[in-house]
Amino acid sequence: MFKSVRTFIGAKNFEESRGFYIDLGFTEIQLSSNLSVFKINNKLSFYLQKAYVKDWIDNSMLFLEVEDIEKYLSEIKGKNLTQKYSKVRLSEIVDNDWGREFFLHDPSGILWHIGCFV
């Protein structure tokens, strides 16, 4: 019955954020000049819109579950996103009671939790 659930996230600089997500490995499908859907693995996706509301962006978080957290962190580090995008931040892996995760902030400040459960 259900096929997907997709969140909408905003962008302070829409073009920069589009480039970031493409560099991160997502495929973009541009829906209009103000809205794109980004997909990865043909099953996970979200909408990026040309809209910036500081309180909304500052409180936006997404969790991306991965199978091999060390491999994916290494892959992201290899893309040099923190050098290419001045506002992008990337953490090391943190061990929690429930699993492991690291954090990636996009150019607008959207916080991605990237992790795996035990």
Side-chain angles (χ1 to χ4, degrees), residues 32-48:
S32 72
S33 61
N34 297 324
L35 183 67
S36 291
V37 64
F38 283 85
K39 295 184 174 193
I40 198 160
N41 295 343
N42 286 324
K43 60 182 177 179
L44 305 174
S45 58
F46 66 91
Y47 293 103
L48 179 71

Side-chain angles (χ1 to χ4, degrees), residues 50-63:
K50 186 177 183 179
Y52 180 75
V53 176
K54 184 176 178 10
D55 287 342
W56 172 45
I57 297 295
D58 288 349
N59 289 291
S60 291
M61 293 185 280
L62 294 95
F63 186 91

Side-chain angles (χ1 to χ4, degrees), residues 15-31:
E15 295 304 318
E16 179 181 42
S17 290
R18 288 176 64 211
F20 169 78
Y21 286 110
I22 290 168
D23 288 346
L24 190 56
F26 285 84
T27 300
E28 179 186 23
I29 300 168
Q30 197 167 7
L31 302 175

